[in-house]
Amino acid sequence: MTDTRTNTDASGPGAIGPVELNTSQIGTERQGDGKQTPSQTVGPFFGYALPYNKGWELVPPHRADAIRLHGTVFDGDGAVVPDAILEIWQADATGTFSREQGSLEPDGYTFTGFGRASVNLAGHYSFTTVKPGPTSVGRAPSVLVTVFARGLTHHLFTRVFFPEDTDAHGTDAVLAAVPADRRSTLLSVSDGPASYRFDIRLQGDGETVFLDFEN
Amino acid sequence: MNSQNEITEEILAIEADARKSVEAGGSPELHPRRDYAPYRSSLLRHPTHELVRVDPEEIERVSPAFGHTDVSLLESDLTIAHAAEPIGERITVSGHVLDGEGRPVRNQLVEIWQANAAGRYVHKRDQHPAPLDPNFTGVGRAITGENGEYTFQTIKPGPYPWRNHVNAWRPAHIHFSLFGSAFTQRLVTQMYFPSDPLFALDPIYQSIADPAARQRLIGAYDHSLSVPEYSLGYRWDIVLTGPKSTWMEGEEDHD
Ligand SMILES: [Fe+2]
């Protein structure tokens, strides 16, 4: 068959393939019962699909205010999890969240506030970012983290706080909702100049606090 | 490793248990159980503490912005990335991304990945001795349109074996990754195809204890999306959590 797909750069779903799809159908008709779509595990084979170039670099490492946020993911036996992928979402140094596109094609200048990193075979992940400012009065600076992995039927949300912000920790609403004896699981550890370690324990001793947003 | 019969018994016991709790007045479970023993990998990877419920703050009520800076229109056609066409049944998968009130999620990122027609992923840890297809990678991306719509052109993935138990096979599926207009709406899931004989046997699909909820993962064959003498069409709408997490953003702020 001759390749007739010359119209792939035209806009709209109707331009896909050699033959026009019926786009009027796509625009309107609804499928399903309108209730929430269930989650399913990310599985083991996302490695060639979800990671993208420099997904772990929210800012270039040579920037003066760059920090390293890194750690290891562990399972309930204390074994490293070699097939997890993490996303972070955060405000910039002034506490403002970005509305800029371009996370998937980082240009080295635009701060989008979003990053994605898979762990290596040792279960270790690493991001280069900036320390966020507080997003509102009384909130402690924090980075949102989403964890996906084989064996997780549903992703897990958590948050990383920074060890030096002790005053703000006292007034932060998320930390206040966490039982006192588990709060330390949300605190990163300073492990070098501009470097913070945040290990994630999915289960068992020192199990990381995971969050559920009431919605 | 356990036999399929042993796994199936565990699956049925959990489903019966879930049915009883609904009959006793509980609400049906919308999502899979995190601790779902028939899916062996969940055993050591589910949290044992209750999740801590918090109110989303501003940063959680918005989401990273994606757009045509990130994704080219060509990326929604998985059949044109190589020199020739991939082997397999050509399909169109199309639908809408919606919030819990049925409102479209516009200008957001949809990512998919899948096995080829023989059930093999382009992944170095995929050990299934089925052929790779030099003309198929199996990765696609799209940005949703004004009505929350998305469309992918691809080939139907094959079922594949895995090592959860003896003779374990995954039903054919496409992995989907979705963002909403709020960070709390993030969803990673899988779309299945109608009438797959492997549904009853698969602990990943069955990790959703409520049969009505499981149905929501099955794309519907849609003849209006089939192209004469060319391809078959499936329609699948994806409904994210909401709307509490999105109401701060209002209707006007989608562009
Ligand atoms: Fe898969």
Side-chain angles (χ1 to χ4, degrees):
Chain A
M1 183 177 165
T2 353
D3 191 350
T4 51
R5 283 167 296 175
T6 50
N7 61 346
T8 43
D9 61 346
S11 61
I16 296 175
V19 194
E20 286 284 305
L21 287 168
N22 185 347
T23 50
S24 61
Q25 291 286 334
I26 294 168
T28 55
E29 207 168 291
R30 293 283 165 93
Q31 178 269 332
D33 64 4
K35 293 193 178 148
Q36 212 178 111
T37 306
S39 165
Q40 292 271 268
T41 181
V42 75
F45 298 136
F46 53 80
Y48 70 104
L50 292 179
Y52 54 90
N53 185 34
K54 297 202 171 177
W56 59 90
E57 256 186 44
L58 286 79
V59 299
H62 56 75
R63 238 176 77 160
D65 57 351
I67 63 163
R68 180 185 194 212
L69 176 61
H70 72 117
T72 302
V73 184
F74 297 96
D75 74 9
D77 268 351
V80 302
V81 172
D83 47 12
I85 182 161
L86 273 63
E87 290 177 350
I88 62 173
W89 170 232
Q90 64 164 90
D92 67 13
T94 70
T96 309
F97 53 82
S98 170
R99 305 301 293 148
E100 298 281 352
Q101 298 181 9
S103 291
L104 303 185
E105 294 285 344
D107 62 11
Y109 296 94
T110 310
F111 183 78
T112 67
F114 178 76
R116 184 184 276 171
S118 1
V119 298
N120 62 19
L121 290 173
H124 187 256
Y125 71 91
S126 186
F127 290 99
T128 303
T129 185
V130 292
K131 184 178 168 185
T135 50
S136 55
V137 178
R139 290 287 193 173
S142 67
V143 172
L144 308 182
V145 179
T146 318
V147 185
F148 304 90
R150 178 176 64 85
L152 294 192
T153 59
H154 202 166
H155 59 258
L156 291 165
F157 286 127
T158 187
R159 252 186 217 248
V160 188
F161 292 86
F162 296 87
E164 61 272 20
D165 302 320
T166 39
D167 288 353
H169 295 163
T171 58
D172 188 86
V174 169
L175 287 174
V178 173
D181 60 336
R182 300 189 64 209
R183 271 177 213 152
S184 64
T185 71
L186 300 186
L187 291 190
S188 57
V189 175
S190 169
D191 70 340
S195 179
Y196 297 89
R197 197 184 80 238
F198 181 70
D199 291 340
I200 295 173
R201 291 182 172 77
L202 298 176
Q203 189 186 85
D205 279 351
E207 185 175 301
T208 302
V209 167
F210 297 105
L211 304 172
D212 183 19
F213 299 98
E214 293 178 12
N215 53 54
Chain B
M1 279 200 289
N2 292 91
S3 69
Q4 179 69 59
N5 284 346
E6 288 164 327
I7 294 291
T8 304
E9 267 175 38
E10 291 180 31
I11 288 172
L12 292 174
I14 294 167
E15 185 175 339
D17 177 66
R19 193 183 318 119
K20 259 184 231 144
S21 83
V22 172
E23 281 162 7
S27 34
E29 297 166 39
L30 291 171
H31 285 284
R33 294 191 176 187
R34 295 176 190 274
D35 175 12
Y36 190 72
Y39 176 29
R40 297 297 192 236
S41 304
S42 78
L43 288 171
L44 288 170
R45 293 184 173 193
H46 70 272
T48 54
H49 287 89
E50 289 272 306
L51 303 188
V52 173
R53 306 197 84 191
V54 292
D55 275 326
E57 66 160 312
E58 198 177 12
I59 185 95
E60 282 131 0
R61 295 179 198 273
V62 292
S63 204
F66 297 99
H68 295 295
T69 312
D70 300 279
V71 177
S72 123
L73 289 167
L74 299 177
E75 294 182 65
S76 61
D77 190 339
L78 285 73
T79 68
I80 56 168
H82 300 276
E85 269 205 281
I87 289 173
E89 200 177 310
R90 292 189 197 103
I91 60 171
T92 299
V93 178
S94 186
H96 301 86
V97 183
L98 305 165
D99 74 10
E101 289 198 338
R103 294 177 300 199
V105 175
R106 303 185 179 102
N107 300 321
Q108 262 304 353
L109 177 66
V110 182
E111 297 163 280
I112 66 168
W113 68 104
Q114 64 168 91
N116 69 22
R120 178 82 187 261
Y121 283 94
V122 181
H123 188 287
K124 56 180 188 276
R125 276 183 259 169
D126 184 354
Q127 303 287 310
H128 180 31
L132 286 167
D133 181 343
N135 293 311
F136 192 68
T137 306
V139 177
R141 290 170 175 168
I143 299 291
T144 56
E146 273 305 293
N147 300 305
E149 73 275 21
Y150 71 87
T151 298
F152 290 101
Q153 188 74 22
T154 182
I155 50 101
K156 191 174 176 192
Y160 60 84
W162 59 311
R163 293 187 177 147
N164 187 70
H165 55 279
V166 176
N167 208 10
W169 288 82
R170 298 289 339 275
H173 59 273
I174 300 177
H175 295 266
F176 271 72
S177 161
L178 304 129
F179 289 80
S181 43
F183 190 77
T184 53
Q185 293 175 295
R186 187 81 177 89
L187 180 70
V188 166
T189 187
Q190 303 179 24
M191 186 203 95
Y192 298 88
F193 294 85
S195 310
D196 196 311
L198 296 168
F199 283 152
L201 309 177
D202 177 39
I204 291 183
Y205 177 71
Q206 297 288 337
S207 63
I208 303 150
D210 175 36
R214 290 198 293 270
Q215 282 291 322
R216 295 177 195 129
L217 294 180
I218 305 175
Y221 173 69
D222 187 332
H223 202 59
S224 73
L225 290 174
S226 294
V227 177
E229 296 171 50
Y230 188 73
S231 61
L232 296 176
Y234 291 88
R235 183 184 299 277
W236 190 49
D237 284 356
I238 300 149
V239 182
L240 306 179
T241 179
K244 186 179 172 187
S245 51
T246 56
W247 70 19
M248 290 297 285
E249 211 185 7
E251 294 289 9
E252 71 292 338
D253 196 28
H254 284 285
D255 304 314

